Amino acid sequence: MLIHGQFLRKDQIAAFDRLGVIPSLFPMHTFYWGDWHRDHTVGPVDAENISPTGWVRERKMIFTSHHDAPVAFPDSMRVLDATVTRRSRSGDILGPQHRMDVITALKAMTIWPAYQHFEEDRKGSLAVGKLADFVILSADPTAVDPETIDQIKVEETIKEGTTIYRRK
Ligand SMILES: [Zn+2]
């Protein structure tokens, strides 16, 4: 497992592929700090390739996504939005070649991390015999305009079959 990988190079990803390392990336960087990195720290080329999900998927590797709370808010819809749109706070798209489709971005938050944590027998998908851990969302992220994914709300959180959160 590799955590973070903000400025991974392509050759490093090739090495992970060879070694069987699954990167846990932080695509939400593009939203919170993408503009700043492009304009003030590493410049446009490296900023475009922050959390390079596209290079990972080019090799048919899997990746997972995380949000570094409390560095950033643990807002899963913002993680999903950033993985799909890569829009920064200024509204620019950073690294369009790294944008993921919604299903891939959802896998990186569910079934792939379960596999990465050796928990795929209990978590990551809804199936008979697994824990009933899931959320009910206000809209279907695969059906809405991707630009509105960040506005989707978690209506209810169910852990092992019991509601532990309901939006007021
Ligand atoms: Zn991180």
PDB file of all heavy atoms in Angstrom, residues 98-114:
ATOM      1  N   HIS A  98      -6.784  12.708 -16.024  1.00  0.00           N
ATOM      2  CA  HIS A  98      -6.880  11.884 -14.812  1.00  0.00           C
ATOM      3  C   HIS A  98      -8.314  11.786 -14.295  1.00  0.00           C
ATOM      4  O   HIS A  98      -8.547  11.183 -13.255  1.00  0.00           O
ATOM      5  CB  HIS A  98      -5.972  12.449 -13.714  1.00  0.00           C
ATOM      6  CG  HIS A  98      -4.524  12.414 -14.068  1.00  0.00           C
ATOM      7  ND1 HIS A  98      -3.841  11.232 -14.280  1.00  0.00           N
ATOM      8  CD2 HIS A  98      -3.623  13.413 -14.268  1.00  0.00           C
ATOM      9  CE1 HIS A  98      -2.577  11.511 -14.587  1.00  0.00           C
ATOM     10  NE2 HIS A  98      -2.422  12.816 -14.589  1.00  0.00           N
ATOM     11  N   ARG A  99      -9.282  12.379 -15.001  1.00  0.00           N
ATOM     12  CA  ARG A  99     -10.671  12.294 -14.548  1.00  0.00           C
ATOM     13  C   ARG A  99     -11.181  10.866 -14.688  1.00  0.00           C
ATOM     14  O   ARG A  99     -10.931  10.198 -15.686  1.00  0.00           O
ATOM     15  CB  ARG A  99     -11.565  13.242 -15.359  1.00  0.00           C
ATOM     16  CG  ARG A  99     -11.359  14.700 -15.010  1.00  0.00           C
ATOM     17  CD  ARG A  99     -12.201  15.616 -15.858  1.00  0.00           C
ATOM     18  NE  ARG A  99     -11.817  15.509 -17.270  1.00  0.00           N
ATOM     19  CZ  ARG A  99     -12.351  16.227 -18.241  1.00  0.00           C
ATOM     20  NH1 ARG A  99     -13.304  17.097 -17.987  1.00  0.00           N
ATOM     21  NH2 ARG A  99     -11.932  16.079 -19.488  1.00  0.00           N
ATOM     22  N   MET A 100     -11.887  10.430 -13.682  1.00  0.00           N
ATOM     23  CA  MET A 100     -12.417   9.065 -13.663  1.00  0.00           C
ATOM     24  C   MET A 100     -13.927   9.089 -13.917  1.00  0.00           C
ATOM     25  O   MET A 100     -14.603  10.060 -13.591  1.00  0.00           O
ATOM     26  CB  MET A 100     -12.169   8.434 -12.282  1.00  0.00           C
ATOM     27  CG  MET A 100     -10.700   8.228 -11.941  1.00  0.00           C
ATOM     28  SD  MET A 100      -9.959   6.863 -12.874  1.00  0.00           S
ATOM     29  CE  MET A 100      -8.890   7.759 -14.012  1.00  0.00           C
ATOM     30  N   ASP A 101     -14.442   7.989 -14.483  1.00  0.00           N
ATOM     31  CA  ASP A 101     -15.895   7.871 -14.556  1.00  0.00           C
ATOM     32  C   ASP A 101     -16.424   7.608 -13.140  1.00  0.00           C
ATOM     33  O   ASP A 101     -15.672   7.207 -12.242  1.00  0.00           O
ATOM     34  CB  ASP A 101     -16.305   6.767 -15.537  1.00  0.00           C
ATOM     35  CG  ASP A 101     -15.821   5.414 -15.084  1.00  0.00           C
ATOM     36  OD1 ASP A 101     -16.488   4.808 -14.218  1.00  0.00           O
ATOM     37  OD2 ASP A 101     -14.751   4.967 -15.555  1.00  0.00           O
ATOM     38  N   VAL A 102     -17.721   7.837 -12.969  1.00  0.00           N
ATOM     39  CA  VAL A 102     -18.307   7.787 -11.619  1.00  0.00           C
ATOM     40  C   VAL A 102     -18.188   6.386 -11.012  1.00  0.00           C
ATOM     41  O   VAL A 102     -17.879   6.242  -9.822  1.00  0.00           O
ATOM     42  CB  VAL A 102     -19.780   8.250 -11.643  1.00  0.00           C
ATOM     43  CG1 VAL A 102     -20.428   8.102 -10.267  1.00  0.00           C
ATOM     44  CG2 VAL A 102     -19.862   9.700 -12.096  1.00  0.00           C
ATOM     45  N   ILE A 103     -18.399   5.354 -11.794  1.00  0.00           N
ATOM     46  CA  ILE A 103     -18.335   3.991 -11.255  1.00  0.00           C
ATOM     47  C   ILE A 103     -16.917   3.677 -10.767  1.00  0.00           C
ATOM     48  O   ILE A 103     -16.733   3.120  -9.678  1.00  0.00           O
ATOM     49  CB  ILE A 103     -18.794   2.956 -12.318  1.00  0.00           C
ATOM     50  CG1 ILE A 103     -20.307   3.085 -12.566  1.00  0.00           C
ATOM     51  CG2 ILE A 103     -18.428   1.539 -11.894  1.00  0.00           C
ATOM     52  CD1 ILE A 103     -21.194   2.653 -11.405  1.00  0.00           C
ATOM     53  N   THR A 104     -15.905   4.053 -11.538  1.00  0.00           N
ATOM     54  CA  THR A 104     -14.519   3.835 -11.100  1.00  0.00           C
ATOM     55  C   THR A 104     -14.241   4.602  -9.818  1.00  0.00           C
ATOM     56  O   THR A 104     -13.641   4.070  -8.874  1.00  0.00           O
ATOM     57  CB  THR A 104     -13.534   4.266 -12.205  1.00  0.00           C
ATOM     58  OG1 THR A 104     -13.786   3.470 -13.366  1.00  0.00           O
ATOM     59  CG2 THR A 104     -12.085   4.089 -11.779  1.00  0.00           C
ATOM     60  N   ALA A 105     -14.699   5.852  -9.759  1.00  0.00           N
ATOM     61  CA  ALA A 105     -14.477   6.673  -8.556  1.00  0.00           C
ATOM     62  C   ALA A 105     -15.191   6.073  -7.346  1.00  0.00           C
ATOM     63  O   ALA A 105     -14.662   6.108  -6.230  1.00  0.00           O
ATOM     64  CB  ALA A 105     -14.952   8.107  -8.810  1.00  0.00           C
ATOM     65  N   LEU A 106     -16.371   5.496  -7.556  1.00  0.00           N
ATOM     66  CA  LEU A 106     -17.087   4.844  -6.453  1.00  0.00           C
ATOM     67  C   LEU A 106     -16.371   3.561  -6.019  1.00  0.00           C
ATOM     68  O   LEU A 106     -16.270   3.281  -4.824  1.00  0.00           O
ATOM     69  CB  LEU A 106     -18.528   4.504  -6.877  1.00  0.00           C
ATOM     70  CG  LEU A 106     -19.510   5.680  -6.906  1.00  0.00           C
ATOM     71  CD1 LEU A 106     -20.811   5.260  -7.582  1.00  0.00           C
ATOM     72  CD2 LEU A 106     -19.787   6.208  -5.493  1.00  0.00           C
ATOM     73  N   LYS A 107     -15.868   2.801  -6.964  1.00  0.00           N
ATOM     74  CA  LYS A 107     -15.102   1.596  -6.602  1.00  0.00           C
ATOM     75  C   LYS A 107     -13.898   1.966  -5.735  1.00  0.00           C
ATOM     76  O   LYS A 107     -13.536   1.224  -4.823  1.00  0.00           O
ATOM     77  CB  LYS A 107     -14.639   0.855  -7.869  1.00  0.00           C
ATOM     78  CG  LYS A 107     -15.739   0.079  -8.567  1.00  0.00           C
ATOM     79  CD  LYS A 107     -15.168  -0.615  -9.797  1.00  0.00           C
ATOM     80  CE  LYS A 107     -16.214  -1.453 -10.496  1.00  0.00           C
ATOM     81  NZ  LYS A 107     -15.684  -2.019 -11.767  1.00  0.00           N
ATOM     82  N   ALA A 108     -13.262   3.101  -6.054  1.00  0.00           N
ATOM     83  CA  ALA A 108     -12.075   3.529  -5.304  1.00  0.00           C
ATOM     84  C   ALA A 108     -12.417   3.920  -3.865  1.00  0.00           C
ATOM     85  O   ALA A 108     -11.522   4.099  -3.040  1.00  0.00           O
ATOM     86  CB  ALA A 108     -11.401   4.699  -6.016  1.00  0.00           C
ATOM     87  N   MET A 109     -13.723   4.049  -3.573  1.00  0.00           N
ATOM     88  CA  MET A 109     -14.166   4.401  -2.219  1.00  0.00           C
ATOM     89  C   MET A 109     -14.849   3.231  -1.518  1.00  0.00           C
ATOM     90  O   MET A 109     -15.238   3.359  -0.363  1.00  0.00           O
ATOM     91  CB  MET A 109     -15.165   5.569  -2.296  1.00  0.00           C
ATOM     92  CG  MET A 109     -14.607   6.817  -2.923  1.00  0.00           C
ATOM     93  SD  MET A 109     -15.894   8.015  -3.317  1.00  0.00           S
ATOM     94  CE  MET A 109     -16.301   8.611  -1.682  1.00  0.00           C
ATOM     95  N   THR A 110     -15.039   2.129  -2.218  1.00  0.00           N
ATOM     96  CA  THR A 110     -15.842   1.042  -1.642  1.00  0.00           C
ATOM     97  C   THR A 110     -15.134  -0.311  -1.777  1.00  0.00           C
ATOM     98  O   THR A 110     -14.436  -0.755  -0.875  1.00  0.00           O
ATOM     99  CB  THR A 110     -17.242   1.006  -2.308  1.00  0.00           C
ATOM    100  OG1 THR A 110     -17.091   0.875  -3.733  1.00  0.00           O
ATOM    101  CG2 THR A 110     -18.043   2.252  -1.975  1.00  0.00           C
ATOM    102  N   ILE A 111     -15.309  -0.948  -2.912  1.00  0.00           N
ATOM    103  CA  ILE A 111     -14.872  -2.341  -3.030  1.00  0.00           C
ATOM    104  C   ILE A 111     -13.350  -2.474  -3.122  1.00  0.00           C
ATOM    105  O   ILE A 111     -12.780  -3.438  -2.616  1.00  0.00           O
ATOM    106  CB  ILE A 111     -15.618  -3.031  -4.197  1.00  0.00           C
ATOM    107  CG1 ILE A 111     -15.530  -4.551  -4.048  1.00  0.00           C
ATOM    108  CG2 ILE A 111     -15.118  -2.548  -5.547  1.00  0.00           C
ATOM    109  CD1 ILE A 111     -16.592  -5.304  -4.819  1.00  0.00           C
ATOM    110  N   TRP A 112     -12.691  -1.487  -3.729  1.00  0.00           N
ATOM    111  CA  TRP A 112     -11.225  -1.570  -3.829  1.00  0.00           C
ATOM    112  C   TRP A 112     -10.551  -1.354  -2.478  1.00  0.00           C
ATOM    113  O   TRP A 112      -9.639  -2.101  -2.122  1.00  0.00           O
ATOM    114  CB  TRP A 112     -10.699  -0.625  -4.921  1.00  0.00           C
ATOM    115  CG  TRP A 112     -11.032  -1.097  -6.312  1.00  0.00           C
ATOM    116  CD1 TRP A 112     -11.437  -2.344  -6.687  1.00  0.00           C
ATOM    117  CD2 TRP A 112     -10.996  -0.317  -7.516  1.00  0.00           C
ATOM    118  NE1 TRP A 112     -11.652  -2.386  -8.049  1.00  0.00           N
ATOM    119  CE2 TRP A 112     -11.392  -1.168  -8.575  1.00  0.00           C
ATOM    120  CE3 TRP A 112     -10.667   1.012  -7.797  1.00  0.00           C
ATOM    121  CZ2 TRP A 112     -11.462  -0.726  -9.903  1.00  0.00           C
ATOM    122  CZ3 TRP A 112     -10.734   1.455  -9.111  1.00  0.00           C
ATOM    123  CH2 TRP A 112     -11.126   0.593 -10.144  1.00  0.00           C
ATOM    124  N   PRO A 113     -10.983  -0.350  -1.662  1.00  0.00           N
ATOM    125  CA  PRO A 113     -10.388  -0.255  -0.319  1.00  0.00           C
ATOM    126  C   PRO A 113     -10.676  -1.481   0.540  1.00  0.00           C
ATOM    127  O   PRO A 113      -9.828  -1.873   1.360  1.00  0.00           O
ATOM    128  CB  PRO A 113     -11.017   1.006   0.285  1.00  0.00           C
ATOM    129  CG  PRO A 113     -11.757   1.682  -0.789  1.00  0.00           C
ATOM    130  CD  PRO A 113     -11.818   0.803  -1.976  1.00  0.00           C
ATOM    131  N   ALA A 114     -11.852  -2.071   0.388  1.00  0.00           N
ATOM    132  CA  ALA A 114     -12.140  -3.290   1.160  1.00  0.00           C
ATOM    133  C   ALA A 114     -11.109  -4.364   0.819  1.00  0.00           C
ATOM    134  O   ALA A 114     -10.569  -5.044   1.702  1.00  0.00           O
ATOM    135  CB  ALA A 114     -13.553  -3.780   0.862  1.00  0.00           C
TER     136      ALA A 114
END
